Amino acid sequence: MKKIFLYILAGSLCFSACKKSDDDVNTYVEPEDINVQNSYDDQAIKKFMDENYLDVQGNIKSFSATDTADDKEKKLSQLDYKTLPSGTIYIIRDGAQPPTSTPPKDLTIKPNDSMRIMVRANSYLATLSDGKGAFTASATFINTINGNGVPVLDPTFYYISNVEGKKNPLIKNATTDAAKQPGYYVISGFNEALQKFNAYDNISNSTPYNLQGVIIVPSRAAFARNPHYPYNYAGYASPISLRNRSFVFNFQVYGREARPY
């Protein structure tokens, strides 16, 4: 009987969480002016950075209102973050970057590299709350950290080949003009910011993670209001719309190689 109760309780909590996210999406009203959405995004990102910190493994954690254990942690907004012209923000975590190899190797991540990445990413809608932009309708985008625990190779939101003779089947077999373009799949702000990091020197997939940092992509540097690929990484019954959604990535790059094309 106790087990049945726990199953019912777990199911109820899941239903409540999913329903709240659904309700948030259903009540979201898209601003007519995209500049207003951009402003909401920037305000929501600032609020998010004030309300979260990095734990000892580099995971993003929310500050607790009741537990004092995290009182001495630095807010994300207090770390050495950088903002790119696109509005994308990145944080290179101190003490979690690849060591200098001997002999020295170029571990800088290039825009067309093949790479393996351990990653957790959520998407959000930024809306007006109490007169200020705030994130709502959180949805898992991809999660290899709490999922199978194995880095993913070349996720399509990072890179997709449009090289003649080497075109990705998604582009090669596309039936619309939009789907024939890399921008239909790639989150440009993520790719742009990832180039500010170095990859680890092809460490094993079984190596325990120590996340290198954070990339926060406002909707204008993701898909904004453009057509996009119907991603379904999180296993939803049907893909959710990424229109107007901002993204928060928490990650470690396990290895990179120059792509031969």
Side-chain angles (χ1 to χ4, degrees), residues 210-239:
N210 186 30
L211 302 180
Q212 288 177 256
V214 177
I215 292 175
I216 305 177
V217 184
S219 65
R220 63 185 178 276
F223 300 113
R225 298 179 180 179
N226 301 317
H228 58 271
Y229 182 69
Y231 282 106
N232 196 26
Y233 282 120
Y236 294 103
S238 59

Side-chain angles (χ1 to χ4, degrees), residues 16 39 77 101 119 153 246:
S16 298
S39 176
S77 59
S101 59
V119 59
L153 175 67
S246 297

